[in-house]
Amino acid sequence: MSILIRLAVVVATAAIVTPSLAAEPDWNTVGNALGKAGSPQPGGVYRVGLPRTDLKVSLDGVALKPGFALGGWVAFEPMGDQAMLMGDIVLTQDEVNPVMKKLEDGGIEITALHNHLLRAEPMTLFMHVSAQGDPVTIATALHAALALSKTPMENTSTPPATAQQIDFDTAAVDQAVGYKGKSNGGVYQFSIPRAEPIKEGGMVVPEAMGSAIAINFQPTGGGKAAITGDFVLAATEVNPVIKAMQASGIEITALHSHMLDEEPRVFFMHFWADDDAQKLAKGLRAALDNIAVKKS
């Protein structure tokens, strides 16, 4: 056999035994099936925001902005041409059971159901969901379930910048927290990843799928702000963080899980306060000093 023939045989054999790489899902098709478009995020994640802009919720006299404490979302992480879904859906009390049943019927698991805040009126609940499989099938099931709620599904444009002013000293807050925040719809937000990655089903859960510490500041006038969010904590960090927050006048409003099979095990702690923004930022920094987070 000549060299050229042997080479041709080797190339042909390699083409047969080498599997082709599966293409990532078509996110436009996924968005169409869900009924609302999302956007690509770091790590290849496709995330769709589901803020409850239809609700008027207040707490201690503060009207809560949707991006501050009512920001539901779902996110898809590609697994070849399949995907892992995680999400956090904001629901009113009467929406919980119809939506939950429809999700279960559609093959989507419920991983948590709970409050994030206390005294909010009307009360809202947060349903965490998970699934793996064909992303269009998952998105179709999500669409059917969300149709049983009043979650707005239209794609809305960002309000003009003039409507999103932050009237406290963001540079001073950044310095106190030790990280750089960003303005989003009148809310000043921090996303702080843990030092050690969190995995679910053997896959790393990226920041965009809820593995990072989230801190939100909503201005309430005169240099003050309301704060909420969730700390992502190892078991040994829970009580030191509670003590640090309470010492700074920050109320703990919930402590629970969001996932079922994460490694390492983590707990999510939600909080609330309305006070001088820089004072609260220093209190949050004291809490962060008890957590293994990535350095800024």
Side-chain angles (χ1 to χ4, degrees):
M1 185 182 295
S2 71
I3 293 176
L4 289 177
I5 293 175
R6 287 201 299 269
L7 181 59
V9 171
V10 170
V11 171
T13 303
I16 293 171
V17 299
T18 303
S20 59
L21 295 175
E24 283 192 3
D26 180 345
W27 297 126
N28 288 331
T29 303
V30 173
N32 289 337
L34 179 59
K36 186 173 186 181
S39 58
Q41 303 292 318
V45 172
Y46 182 73
R47 181 171 167 130
V48 183
L50 299 170
R52 290 302 300 259
T53 54
D54 60 309
L55 298 177
K56 306 297 181 186
V57 179
S58 62
L59 171 53
D60 294 347
V62 178
L64 307 183
K65 292 181 180 293
F68 175 68
L70 304 170
W73 56 272
V74 292
F76 297 81
E77 182 179 9
M79 305 166 56
D81 60 352
Q82 303 287 291
M84 178 171 75
L85 166 83
M86 297 184 77
D88 188 4
I89 301 170
V90 184
L91 299 170
T92 59
Q93 294 183 73
D94 60 311
E95 294 170 343
V96 167
N97 282 297
V99 171
M100 180 183 288
K101 185 177 187 307
K102 199 68 173 178
L103 287 168
E104 291 279 1
D105 290 346
I108 297 173
E109 293 185 338
I110 312 303
T111 61
L113 173 66
H114 44 232
N115 67 294
H116 283 184
L117 295 171
L118 303 174
R119 303 182 304 281
E121 297 180 357
M123 180 182 183
T124 54
L125 294 162
F126 295 77
M127 184 180 291
H128 295 263
V129 297
S130 177
Q132 290 188 22
D134 174 66
V136 174
T137 301
I138 294 171
T140 302
L142 279 168
H143 176 82
L146 289 169
L148 300 179
S149 75
K150 294 181 181 178
T151 303
M153 298 300 287
E154 65 274 7
N155 291 300
T156 56
S157 58
T158 304
T162 54
Q164 302 181 48
Q165 296 298 315
I166 304 295
D167 65 358
F168 56 78
D169 188 340
T170 57
V173 166
D174 286 346
Q175 184 175 12
V177 174
Y179 292 84
K180 175 66 177 173
K182 64 177 182 179
S183 178
N184 181 17
V187 179
Y188 199 63
Q189 300 179 324
F190 294 85
S191 180
I192 303 169
R194 289 190 58 87
E196 181 181 2
I198 299 169
K199 295 183 179 180
E200 174 88 1
M203 294 183 63
V204 172
V205 179
E207 240 181 284
M209 296 185 75
S211 66
I213 293 166
I215 298 172
N216 294 336
F217 284 72
Q218 179 180 315
T220 54
K224 295 176 63 178
I227 58 169
T228 191
D230 50 0
F231 283 99
V232 187
L233 304 172
T236 55
E237 297 166 344
V238 169
N239 284 285
V241 169
I242 289 176
K243 291 176 181 178
M245 299 275 269
Q246 290 179 331
S248 300
I250 301 172
E251 178 184 17
I252 307 303
T253 59
L255 174 64
H256 46 231
S257 62
H258 285 183
M259 297 175 274
L260 298 177
D261 301 310
E262 79 278 10
E263 296 179 359
R265 187 183 186 201
V266 290
F267 299 87
F268 292 78
M269 183 185 294
H270 301 267
F271 53 89
W272 165 265
D274 181 12
D275 205 335
D276 178 78
Q278 293 182 48
K279 173 188 172 183
L280 293 177
K282 292 174 182 176
L284 291 165
R285 178 68 254 177
L288 288 167
D289 287 340
N290 292 281
I291 306 171
V293 293
K294 283 187 178 179
K295 301 303 180 183
S296 59

